[in-house]
Amino acid sequence: APLHQHPVTDWFLADPGTVALYLGGVLLVAWLGNFIVKTLLLRGVEKMLGLLWSDWGRNQHLLTAIRRLANIVPALILMAGVDVIPGLPGVLERWVDNLCIASMALSIALTFSNALDALNHAYERRPEAKAKPIKGYLQITKIVLYIITAVLMISTLINRSPLILLSGLGAITAVLMLIFQDTLLSLVASVQISSGDLVRVGDWIEMPNLNADGDVIDIALHTVKVQNWDKTITTLPTRRLITDPFKNWRGMQESGGRRIKRALFLDQTSVRFLSPSEAEELKRFSLLGEYLEGKAAELSRWNTALGDGPEVNRRRITNLGTFRAYVLNYLRRHPSIHQEMTLLVRQLGPTSDGLPLEIYCFTNDTRWAVYEDIQSDLFDHLLAILPEFGLRVFQNPGGADFRKLAEGATSAESLAG
């Protein structure tokens, strides 16, 4: 007995030539419709948008969205074309309709996805985009969109109501929560970062534990990209900006001042009193004239109040105190030092490496290269002028020092011989 054949097979074998002709015609019309829409209609839409929005052509995501929307046309033609094919089995017609509907749902979802990318691209060109990025929110919207599209496509292909699939999601909620755990944590972190204004695109942040030290170049739902100063890229999980400590240098940049906090280590054996002639000689520095006169008057009053006591009880001017006054006045007149911020010249506790004289001030230019130039020029000058005050910088002896010592000992022995 002959085997029972499927209705679709029976229909095709009844008249293969006619069936092939009809199918080929429908596919050809679908292809022509897609070609005409993409070639003619889309060009007209692009020209119309060009008249309304001069910069729209730079947004490639919007172009892609329009092209994806055109993919609906061949699906509609196929759905209409199967109705005109004579004798087409109902089961095949349902298959074609379901496939076309699923295809249109996918095209619409991809169109919305590209439209969201176009929205983000346009938003990033606004001034407030760095402070309030929306990329993370758009990504979570895409995830929800893809989930809904997947449910609709599956329900269409199996010819069942979407409610049946959605009712089954309750049984696998725990599994979905486990799968999307990182996404949910990243979403909460993105909301906290945005609402608290913790990080913006363009901020300089430091996270030593994750080897990140540079500018934030992108903030997404799951990751934050940091371009380090050596031009490498560090990718951080978004939630780590909530759970881990990090330093944001935005406050320094917005304040208009960048801190200098560095010490000169002085040889403590070079600290001494100045003789009257030395103090008089230092008056040639315009920065010290007022200080020396005021200090001399102060000490004179103090010493007069002591009467004719021993010399050891009298106060005298020191070379270190005079140098501190010089540095302070030098900073107050320096055009690159911010005069509205903290400015200190102070001694720290003596160490085995000498007496630290710390300069604490702020430059009025926060750019890295300019800041380093100002700092270097400042300490170049201070190191060079130290001998004028009879002070020495402390420095551990090196090989050249020991060589000079050995040569001196050899010369002394020769002379003695």
Side-chain angles (χ1 to χ4, degrees):
L3 296 175
H4 176 70
Q5 293 181 333
H6 196 274
V8 177
T9 306
D10 294 339
W11 166 74
F12 181 79
L13 294 177
D15 192 356
T18 303
V19 171
L21 181 62
Y22 274 107
L23 290 177
V26 171
L27 293 175
L28 178 62
V29 173
W31 179 81
L32 287 174
N34 187 43
F35 175 77
I36 292 172
V37 170
K38 285 188 175 181
T39 304
L40 302 179
L41 182 59
L42 286 183
R43 287 184 180 178
V45 173
E46 291 176 4
K47 289 182 179 179
M48 183 179 65
L49 288 175
L51 295 175
L52 299 176
W53 182 13
S54 59
D55 290 340
W56 85 277
R58 298 179 183 177
N59 196 330
Q60 296 298 321
H61 299 292
L62 186 58
L63 288 172
T64 305
I66 296 174
R67 292 191 181 98
R68 289 192 184 280
L69 190 60
N71 293 330
I72 298 176
V73 175
L76 292 173
I77 293 176
L78 287 176
M79 290 181 65
V82 294
D83 294 335
V84 301
I85 299 178
L88 183 68
V91 62
L92 182 57
E93 185 175 353
R94 287 193 300 272
W95 287 350
V96 174
D97 288 344
N98 291 343
L99 285 173
C100 291
I101 293 173
S103 174
M104 287 189 294
L106 180 60
S107 297
I108 293 174
L110 294 176
T111 299
F112 273 107
S113 176
N114 287 115
L116 292 176
D117 291 335
L119 175 63
N120 183 62
H121 182 273
Y123 178 77
E124 286 180 343
R125 301 177 66 182
R126 298 173 62 89
E128 64 271 20
K130 291 184 177 181
K132 300 291 183 181
I134 62 173
K135 188 173 183 179
Y137 303 111
L138 296 182
Q139 287 180 329
I140 199 65
T141 303
K142 285 184 183 182
I143 293 175
V144 174
L145 176 64
Y146 290 147
I147 291 175
I148 294 175
T149 303
V151 171
L152 292 176
M153 291 178 64
I154 294 173
S155 62
T156 300
L157 293 175
I158 65 176
N159 202 23
R160 294 290 186 272
S161 172
L163 296 177
I164 297 176
L165 294 178
L166 292 176
S167 62
L169 292 178
I172 59 172
T173 301
V175 178
L176 291 177
M177 291 290 289
L178 182 62
I179 294 174
F180 293 104
Q181 178 183 7
D182 291 340
T183 299
L184 295 175
L185 292 175
S186 299
L187 175 62
V188 174
S190 296
V191 173
Q192 291 178 323
I193 290 172
S194 178
S195 61
D197 197 18
L198 302 180
V199 177
R200 304 176 188 172
V201 174
D203 283 356
W204 169 16
I205 66 171
E206 276 188 68
M207 293 188 74
N209 55 330
L210 296 180
N211 297 320
D213 183 12
D215 290 334
V216 176
I217 59 175
D218 183 62
I219 300 177
L221 177 62
H222 294 93
T223 58
V224 174
K225 291 183 180 179
V226 178
Q227 185 175 50
N228 301 310
W229 299 122
D230 59 358
K231 300 306 178 183
T232 58
I233 303 294
T234 299
T235 303
L236 315 174
T238 304
R239 64 180 184 274
R240 296 295 292 271
L241 294 177
I242 301 298
T243 60
D244 293 8
F246 67 94
K247 181 187 290 186
N248 192 333
W249 289 81
R250 188 204 315 159
M252 176 272 294
Q253 295 170 334
E254 292 178 346
S255 69
R258 188 165 181 177
R259 187 182 70 175
I260 294 176
K261 185 173 181 284
R262 184 185 291 184
L264 286 171
F265 286 84
L266 304 178
D267 187 346
Q268 298 176 76
T269 61
S270 66
V271 179
R272 58 179 175 81
F273 293 114
L274 291 176
S275 65
S277 61
E278 289 175 329
E280 190 66 27
E281 178 69 17
L282 288 176
K283 286 184 179 180
R284 73 182 191 276
F285 292 106
S286 59
L287 297 177
L288 287 176
E290 183 178 350
Y291 166 78
L292 289 173
E293 291 178 1
K295 199 69 175 177
E298 176 191 343
L299 297 182
S300 177
R301 289 192 298 270
W302 173 279
N303 295 331
T304 301
L306 287 177
D308 296 330
E311 183 70 19
V312 70
N313 293 328
R314 296 180 177 275
R315 289 176 58 189
R316 288 175 284 175
I317 298 176
T318 64
N319 60 348
L320 179 55
T322 306
F323 180 68
R324 282 194 297 108
Y326 174 84
V327 176
L328 187 60
N329 290 330
Y330 180 77
L331 294 176
R332 285 174 177 169
R333 289 166 174 78
H334 199 291
S336 299
I337 300 300
H338 204 303
Q339 301 301 320
E340 302 300 324
M341 295 185 175
T342 305
L343 198 156
L344 294 173
V345 179
R346 59 177 183 171
Q347 290 185 31
L348 302 180
T351 68
S352 58
D353 292 327
L355 177 65
L357 184 69
E358 185 180 78
I359 287 83
Y360 191 104
C361 59
F362 291 81
T363 64
N364 55 20
D365 197 320
T366 61
R367 291 174 296 176
W368 187 13
V370 178
Y371 162 79
E372 294 294 347
D373 285 341
I374 296 172
Q375 184 172 229
S376 299
D377 288 343
L378 173 62
F379 280 87
D380 287 348
H381 176 76
L382 297 182
L383 288 170
I385 207 168
L386 263 177
E388 296 285 345
F389 296 85
L391 293 169
R392 295 188 301 273
V393 177
F394 181 88
Q395 181 171 303
N396 290 318
D401 299 310
F402 289 116
R403 189 159 47 249
K404 288 181 180 180
L405 183 63
E407 291 174 355
T410 303
S411 299
E413 291 177 0
S414 301
L415 292 174

